Amino acid sequence: MRFFKGDLHIHTCLSPCADLEMSPKNIIEEAKLKGLEILAICDHNSMENTEPAMELGKENNILVLPGMEVTTEEEVHILGIFENLEKALPFQNIIYENLPDLQEERFLEEQPVVDREENVLSFCKKSLFYAVNLKIEEIVEKIHQFGGLAIASHIDREAFSIIGQLGFIPEGLKLDGLEVVFDLKKEYEFYNLPLIRSSDSHFLEEIGQRKTEFYLGSLNFEEITLAFKNKEGRFLKI
């Protein structure tokens, strides 16, 4: 059993608000320099740049989990983090079915799909910065349907956070955790949910600036899930 350093909220160049230097290759190189051992790639409403990051992570002894930052109908950001692509990609299909196509082709270059060598393979034709036509409860249910962890993004921000948008966390919403980026307010303990701290990186220098430590027996998704549940001696530390 030991601590593993993780950052569970990293955007690639696929996210229209992220820097184009955020290629899977550069992300893994930066994470390795900063001693990170767990990453989650969580682009807006898509996972199309996740596979090369996972491959490069494996080669560098970094566990890279496929994830997504979904914008719900209420314009709330929810992180869905999954064990593998086999479970994650069906979730992406559901999101794409409920997401409009990009209306103006001039924005395509802001959503590049790249390979491990930074070659541009295509451009995502979905409007990744739009809200999905699914409510928060539906998104959380779908994440769990495919075995994922559902985490409310950056609850310490006004924009696109569940508290900022709704003013509260709905009773009965089956979240697995809450993410903070800056402020560790005492009031968050009221919700009785695990807290993680992530960087929400859109630029390379932001990776690992804020992180979570995972006390695990080994490096895998099952152990991370136990840490979220604070079971069998596994736990989170921020």
Side-chain angles (χ1 to χ4, degrees):
M1 300 281 286
R2 70 174 179 89
F3 282 108
F4 294 84
K5 295 178 182 179
D7 187 346
L8 295 187
H9 190 172
I10 295 176
H11 292 267
T12 79
C13 53
L14 176 59
S15 289
C17 50
D19 190 79
L20 291 177
E21 292 296 313
M22 292 291 281
S23 66
K25 181 179 179 181
N26 286 342
I27 288 169
I28 297 303
E29 288 177 355
E30 188 73 13
K32 189 173 182 179
L33 283 173
K34 293 179 176 176
L36 295 172
E37 297 165 282
I38 306 169
L39 301 180
I41 300 298
C42 294
D43 280 312
H44 289 292
N45 295 326
S46 182
M47 298 180 185
E48 292 194 54
N49 273 351
T50 304
E51 187 170 6
M54 294 174 69
E55 292 173 354
L56 289 164
K58 188 174 183 180
E59 293 169 12
N60 288 275
N61 298 315
I62 298 173
L63 176 64
V64 179
L65 299 171
M68 183 187 294
E69 185 170 34
V70 183
T71 304
T72 74
E73 188 177 280
E74 301 89 347
E75 296 196 336
V76 170
H77 285 179
I78 299 290
L79 298 177
I81 298 174
F82 301 87
E83 181 176 7
N84 52 47
L85 284 173
E86 183 179 355
K87 295 180 179 179
L89 290 180
F91 177 75
Q92 177 183 261
N93 292 339
I94 291 171
I95 297 302
Y96 276 9
E97 289 169 2
N98 289 276
L99 192 66
D101 293 333
L102 197 62
Q103 298 301 310
E104 297 186 56
E105 289 199 0
R106 64 192 177 97
F107 293 122
L108 277 176
E109 293 185 3
E110 297 180 6
Q111 301 181 165
V113 178
V114 300
D115 65 15
R116 54 185 289 150
E117 300 301 330
E118 302 182 310
N119 298 305
V120 177
L121 303 178
S122 62
F123 298 95
C124 183
K125 296 183 179 180
K126 289 292 183 178
S127 294
L128 298 183
F129 215 31
Y130 275 51
V132 175
N133 189 31
L134 292 169
K135 296 184 182 299
I136 297 174
E137 292 83 2
E138 295 174 291
I139 293 295
V140 171
E141 179 185 346
K142 294 298 183 185
I143 291 170
H144 289 154
Q145 179 182 337
F146 297 105
L149 295 168
I151 302 164
S153 302
H154 42 68
I155 62 168
D156 52 336
R157 289 179 177 164
E158 287 294 324
F160 299 109
S161 73
I162 193 167
I163 295 174
Q165 293 296 110
L166 304 183
F168 62 99
I169 297 176
E171 187 176 351
L173 185 64
K174 296 180 181 179
L175 292 168
D176 297 293
L178 307 174
E179 177 199 53
V180 294
V181 177
F182 299 110
D183 296 330
L184 302 176
K185 297 178 181 177
K186 193 75 174 174
E187 65 194 59
Y188 296 147
E189 295 179 3
F190 168 80
Y191 295 108
N192 197 30
L193 285 167
L195 282 177
I196 64 166
R197 200 174 193 190
S198 310
S199 66
D200 189 9
S201 297
H202 289 70
F203 297 88
L204 288 174
E205 61 268 22
E206 295 174 341
I207 294 172
Q209 284 186 354
R210 292 164 291 276
K211 55 187 176 290
T212 302
E213 294 191 41
F214 297 81
Y215 193 66
L216 311 173
S218 56
L219 192 54
N220 58 59
F221 184 78
E222 183 179 355
E223 290 277 310
I224 291 169
T225 299
L226 287 173
F228 269 90
K229 296 178 179 179
N230 196 25
K231 288 186 175 181
E232 298 182 26
R234 281 71 170 167
F235 60 89
L236 309 172
K237 178 184 176 183
I238 59 175

